[in-house]
Amino acid sequence: MKKILNIIYQSYLIRDIVLLALRLVLAYGFFNPALMKIKDINSISDWFESINIPLPILNAYLATGTEVFGVIFLTLGLFTRWVSIPLMITIMVAIVTVHIGNGFEAGENGFEIPLYYILMLLTLFTFGAGKYCLDQVLKLKRNEKIV
């Protein structure tokens, strides 16, 4: 029993490394789509219109902004819980409008990978950014000022 408790305790020690890895993997995953949208926002707007997304210009800018700020904030570990919400919404829209009709399989442009993104973002929303983040640094500075 003591050995099992020790294993559980050891797993808590790597939690912050796992949360950091999740943040960085997600930031990397959003980087190229964000860059693609920045480079040609008009094509994104036209594509959104072709798949019947309402207000395609506005939604192209919203999706682009969400992904750009998502990359920055996830990388820095800044406002991680907050940025997870619009990123999850953006991915859910992508699933409904693009992926769900293709089934589950990633190789068939299904919703498998976006679902994994949502689960990773939900993990960050639930547990936060971990110890290795800018949020933690700002929290420590606020606590120093109070004391």
Side-chain angles (χ1 to χ4, degrees):
M1 183 65 168
K2 189 174 184 179
K3 190 171 190 168
I4 291 172
L5 291 175
N6 190 35
I7 291 170
I8 292 170
Y9 173 74
Q10 295 297 323
S11 72
Y12 284 113
L13 296 178
I14 65 166
R15 181 189 73 175
D16 295 311
I17 294 169
V18 171
L19 293 170
L20 172 64
L22 275 177
R23 287 191 356 252
L24 295 178
V25 166
L26 281 165
Y28 181 76
F30 281 110
F31 180 75
N32 282 329
L35 198 58
M36 178 187 70
K37 287 176 179 70
I38 289 172
K39 285 182 180 178
D40 195 359
I41 193 77
N42 293 325
S43 291
I44 299 303
S45 174
D46 293 343
W47 179 57
F48 279 9
E49 186 173 28
S50 76
I51 59 173
N52 299 317
I53 292 180
L55 303 168
I57 295 170
L58 174 64
N59 280 307
Y61 279 98
L62 285 173
T64 302
T66 298
E67 290 178 4
V68 168
F69 283 110
V71 168
I72 295 166
F73 290 161
L74 287 171
T75 301
L76 297 174
L78 184 63
F79 311 122
T80 303
R81 285 189 163 116
W82 288 103
V83 79
S84 295
I85 296 167
L87 286 170
M88 284 188 280
I89 292 168
T90 301
I91 294 171
M92 285 187 261
V93 170
I95 288 172
V96 170
T97 59
V98 177
H99 299 285
I100 203 148
N102 300 320
F104 180 74
E105 300 297 324
E108 297 172 12
N109 199 29
F111 63 92
E112 181 178 4
I113 302 299
L115 179 64
Y116 297 155
Y117 275 38
I118 288 173
L119 292 172
M120 290 190 287
L121 287 163
L122 191 57
T123 301
L124 291 173
F125 178 75
T126 303
F127 295 102
K131 182 170 41 174
Y132 308 114
C133 67
L134 199 53
D135 279 339
Q136 194 69 23
V137 172
L138 295 174
K139 181 180 173 183
L140 292 174
K141 288 191 178 211
R142 275 194 309 264
N143 288 341
E144 287 174 6
K145 289 179 183 177
I146 293 171
V147 175

